[in-house]
Amino acid sequence: MSKEADRRFWAEKISDEIENRKLEDPIVIKGAVSPSGSPHLGHLNEIMRGYYVAEVLRGRGYSVRQIFTSDDKDALRKIPNILTDENWDLVGLGDIDAKVLGKNLGVPYSEIPNPFNSEYKSYGDHFTALLKESAEMAGVPIEFISTTDMYNEGAFDETVREALQNLSKVREILSKYQRNVSEDYIPFIPQCEKCRRLTTGVKRIDMELEVIEYECEGFADAEGSRMGGCGHRGVATFREGKLSWRFEWPADWKVLKIDFEPFGKDHAEGSWPSGQEIAREIFGIEPPIPMVYEWFTIGGKALSSSKGNIVTIRDLVELVEPEIVRYFFAKNPNKQRDLNLEKIDILVDEFDEFEREYYGENSQKISPNVSMSAYPMVVKNTVEKWVGEGDLGAFKSRRRIPYRFAAALGMNDDRNLQIEIANRRKIIDKDMEDWVTSLAIGRVERGRQWAENYQNEYNYQLSRKVPEIEIDGEIGRALEELASFVEEGHNEVEIQEAIYEIAKNNEIEIGQFFEVNYRLLFAQERGPRLGPLLAALDREFVVMRLRREG
RNA sequence: GGGCUGUUAGCUCAGUCAGGUAGAGCAACGGACUCUUAAUCCGUCGGCCAGGGGUUCAAAUCCCUUACAGCCCGCCA
């Protein structure tokens, strides 16, 4: 078999592994994030990576349940500098009631009052809602579960019991993976009934009554400094507190019967190896099939909610179609990728090529097996939206306006004019079905947003007023000739030719003449191809502008 | 100090698992379309596949090693 024929979509390979296990129906795939702050594109890995595997398995006839735990029983351990409000706008601590956060360090996210104007009860619920919106924007149906609810419902009772019954084994296993596991290590963190903090200071465990006696001694913040507790002495049930992370994760696998879970590289060498052993030795289950994904960076630095170094899915869907967001997550998870929104046009080009490859419209095949397998999943929702579920044959007639050209088209917000220009350029046809035009033209607004956000060379905007430029005699005459020519009514080819002709006749360098025109229209030195533009724009406007009359 | 992952053209990436003549897009440069102006088409340039060593008839691919980047081995995800 040739090498090329064997290249496969990573989700297919992982699915093979999952399939090779004896599985009960349904196959359960999990992802998780703690709702600690602004959800960003890195978090979407927890949803998208599992999604592709889920879709592959569904395609093979399995029923798959994809779930996502919002780990909202985790404590707030650090106050983020930058947060995201209910409109996905970034806000600083000054814009919200930051005191609420300071007072609640150490308290589970699900119990911290919501400092935003959103409708949710808690800080945790606010960010869980944004995570849900992220999944929706990506078009992934996924079931959300609150870890707090799981504790409250007693879902973890059995695993807490198993962990506390086997303390010596727990300590033995953990010390293989962590240094300084103390002799009195307890894998359970009680929540102080008085100050509501997850705290240390366990005094006694009563396995008969299934309670933990504690004296609230405080907790460690994100920097590892100890924060004092309130000193309250109390008793916690197995539901009033939580397993420490290294045990909660494998407990999740048991309680939710997880078969597959993707996780970030931060877990790959820490909690995953210990989690496997804990799953087998303490909870008596086989751990899920793992998959490690690399992190994205921005400018080479890790995405960080607390530092505000983030790109959200909302930022991305402003610039590109949802299928391109999905495409991004279909790429090899092993590679660290830098998210450079200034160069998002390259990603779009890459997607367009990926799409052409699926339909056999490209000349050079790169990795056809990958596009054959991944493309239908990438565009699933898009196809459903425009032509009906699964009708990839009909969707083949879609058109994509090259992204940079779409950005240039955004110079005018008149949709009909955009269509007109794209038409003249033969990117779309007048007799195409409406959806084709809508899908294609939809890119213009996004490209426009891109040009505006990054103030790049595609940021053309027709100047409302006549820019102040000195025009000397020859150029003035040339402009007048051009104005008259346009006024007579000519097509784009004729106008384009006339520009050269007029420049020549007036002994002006052609480059200079173009530049003057662009300055008049955009107050910039360069611009889109002039003939088609002048032909497409409102004739009266063009004539007036060339005469510097308005 | 130990471990995991990555490093392929100026840029963005395929290709590495199962070794078989280094690929694409963009950029650049040249040309075509009566036309330096973001469309389209043709062409050119561009790489010791991070460096070194090994295995092999054959290595981007397997092994060892070095460098660089990120992460883990405290807490937390």
Side-chain angles (χ1 to χ4, degrees):
Chain A
M1 223 192 280
S2 80
K3 186 176 169 183
E4 186 159 325
D6 287 339
R7 288 170 193 156
R8 299 177 69 212
F9 184 32
W10 56 266
E12 298 272 2
K13 298 182 203 169
I14 288 278
S15 296
D16 291 349
E17 277 186 63
I18 298 170
E19 214 177 354
N20 285 337
R21 272 203 186 170
K22 284 192 176 170
L23 295 166
E24 288 174 31
D25 209 49
I27 295 171
V28 187
I29 295 177
K30 171 170 140 22
V33 168
S34 77
S36 56
S38 310
H40 54 62
L41 273 181
H43 294 136
L44 207 55
N45 272 306
E46 292 284 327
I47 293 169
M48 294 306 301
R49 302 299 187 177
Y51 172 73
Y52 283 116
V53 175
E55 283 295 300
V56 168
L57 289 168
R58 284 178 187 128
R60 295 183 187 180
Y62 297 93
S63 67
V64 181
R65 182 176 171 220
Q66 191 184 357
I67 63 183
F68 183 92
T69 62
S70 177
D71 292 339
D72 55 5
K73 187 107 187 194
D74 295 352
L76 175 70
R77 298 171 62 253
K78 185 180 182 181
I79 302 177
N81 295 320
I82 305 285
L83 294 156
T84 311
D85 72 11
E86 59 279 7
N87 302 315
W88 287 90
D89 290 325
L90 294 179
V91 295
L93 289 175
D95 301 315
I96 58 161
D97 186 0
K99 271 189 217 160
V100 169
L101 301 184
K103 279 191 292 191
N104 284 287
L105 278 167
V107 175
Y109 296 118
S110 54
E111 288 188 33
I112 299 171
N114 182 3
F116 301 95
N117 295 323
S118 56
E119 60 191 291
Y120 309 102
K121 215 177 70 187
S122 70
Y123 181 92
D125 288 352
H126 171 84
F127 286 113
T128 300
L130 292 184
L131 285 161
K132 275 185 195 166
E133 281 182 36
S134 298
E136 280 160 20
M137 283 188 251
V140 174
I142 187 168
E143 190 181 328
F144 270 68
I145 295 175
S146 149
T147 308
T148 301
D149 288 349
M150 288 176 70
Y151 278 102
N152 289 342
E153 290 157 9
F156 286 117
D157 285 355
E158 186 190 359
T159 47
V160 173
R161 190 179 303 124
E162 287 169 332
L164 295 180
Q165 266 167 353
N166 295 289
L167 283 178
S168 57
K169 209 167 176 184
V170 157
R171 290 164 188 157
E172 184 195 321
I173 293 172
L174 199 58
S175 58
K176 286 195 226 168
Y177 301 95
Q178 289 187 333
R179 297 172 192 181
N180 310 322
V181 175
S182 68
E183 287 174 15
D184 54 0
Y185 175 84
I186 306 286
F188 187 84
I189 309 160
Q191 183 176 15
C192 175
E193 62 190 344
K194 192 173 168 214
C195 73
R196 306 306 297 165
R197 293 191 172 94
L198 291 164
T199 189
T200 51
V202 172
K203 297 301 172 198
R204 203 177 72 86
I205 299 171
D206 186 329
M207 290 308 290
E208 290 291 310
L209 296 172
E210 301 206 324
V211 292
I212 291 111
E213 293 173 19
Y214 64 87
E215 181 174 333
C216 181
E217 288 177 2
F219 58 98
D221 72 6
E223 273 73 44
S225 319
R226 287 216 72 73
M227 308 287 281
C230 71
H232 174 76
R233 285 191 74 110
V235 172
T237 67
F238 289 178
R239 303 176 187 189
E240 294 164 335
K242 71 189 291 293
L243 285 161
S244 65
W245 159 249
R246 291 218 178 205
F247 292 83
E248 188 177 277
W249 198 22
D252 278 333
W253 303 338
K254 177 168 188 164
V255 172
L256 299 167
K257 299 180 168 36
I258 305 304
D259 297 300
F260 169 69
E261 177 159 8
F263 47 86
K265 62 140 146 213
D266 50 340
H267 292 321
E269 287 307 305
S271 32
W272 167 247
S274 66
Q276 285 185 87
E277 192 164 346
I278 289 164
R280 293 192 179 106
E281 302 299 323
I282 307 294
F283 299 141
I285 58 154
E286 194 51 26
I289 302 278
M291 187 192 95
V292 179
Y293 58 83
E294 269 287 339
W295 284 2
F296 302 138
T297 56
I298 304 176
K301 300 224 166 116
L303 278 84
S304 163
S305 305
S306 56
K307 289 177 188 156
N309 191 38
I310 63 166
V311 172
T312 68
I313 183 172
R314 214 276 309 254
D315 296 334
L316 199 51
V317 294
E318 271 187 354
L319 304 181
V320 301
E321 294 93 340
E323 56 269 35
I324 292 172
V325 176
R326 289 159 67 99
Y327 168 70
F328 185 65
F329 286 92
K331 294 169 64 147
N332 187 348
N334 281 334
K335 297 232 182 183
Q336 182 174 311
R337 290 174 202 282
D338 199 57
L339 275 168
N340 188 350
L341 296 190
E342 291 182 32
K343 293 185 180 173
I344 198 69
D345 54 315
I346 291 172
L347 180 69
V348 179
D349 286 348
E350 201 183 307
F351 168 82
D352 289 352
E353 174 67 10
F354 170 74
E355 184 171 63
R356 284 193 293 273
E357 189 171 84
Y358 175 80
Y359 287 117
E361 299 163 347
N362 61 327
S363 47
Q364 303 277 337
K365 303 214 167 182
I366 305 168
S367 27
N369 283 348
V370 173
S371 52
M372 290 313 287
S373 168
Y375 177 78
M377 300 173 214
V378 168
V379 295
K380 186 178 176 185
N381 304 60
T382 309
V383 168
E384 190 174 337
K385 176 180 174 184
W386 297 106
V387 296
E389 194 176 345
D391 198 350
L392 285 157
F395 195 68
K396 186 176 187 199
S397 52
R398 91 282 169 234
R399 294 290 178 89
R400 301 284 184 182
I401 299 178
Y403 193 75
R404 286 169 292 274
F405 185 59
L409 275 181
M411 69 195 154
N412 195 299
D413 54 14
D414 180 344
R415 191 185 142 98
N416 290 328
L417 184 56
Q418 293 164 2
I419 294 173
E420 178 71 21
I421 297 175
N423 225 311
R424 286 164 185 263
R425 293 292 191 100
K426 303 199 172 9
I427 293 169
I428 54 177
D429 295 327
K430 282 228 164 77
D431 56 1
M432 287 187 317
E433 290 176 77
D434 286 348
W435 73 265
V436 180
T437 305
S438 299
L439 173 64
I441 290 294
R443 187 173 276 180
V444 173
E445 200 180 318
R446 296 184 159 99
R448 170 77 199 144
Q449 190 68 43
W450 174 64
E452 250 175 51
N453 287 1
Y454 300 100
Q455 296 285 305
N456 60 26
E457 69 216 82
Y458 304 95
N459 190 19
Y460 307 127
Q461 208 161 13
L462 287 172
S463 301
R464 287 191 189 155
K465 293 186 293 186
V466 184
E468 290 181 21
I469 319 171
E470 287 188 25
I471 306 270
D472 67 18
E474 283 121 32
I475 292 182
R477 271 197 301 281
L479 286 173
E480 175 49 40
E481 280 179 39
L482 183 56
S484 307
F485 189 80
V486 171
E487 200 168 26
E488 290 165 17
H490 292 277
N491 69 29
E492 61 184 79
V493 176
E494 291 163 347
I495 293 175
Q496 183 77 9
E497 285 170 10
I499 293 167
Y500 283 87
E501 194 69 17
I502 290 167
K504 204 170 156 189
N505 292 344
N506 288 282
E507 292 176 347
I508 306 168
E509 266 189 53
I510 185 66
Q512 195 192 353
F513 192 47
F514 272 110
E515 188 183 318
V516 168
N517 277 283
Y518 291 125
R519 282 193 182 285
L520 275 176
L521 291 164
F522 303 111
Q524 282 182 200
E525 290 173 22
R526 310 183 78 198
R529 200 173 165 99
L530 208 46
L533 177 69
L534 296 186
L537 291 172
D538 179 71
R539 192 183 299 167
E540 197 180 337
F541 164 80
V542 173
V543 172
M544 282 182 71
R545 179 55 57 92
L546 293 176
R547 290 175 176 155
R548 279 94 66 217
E549 288 166 356

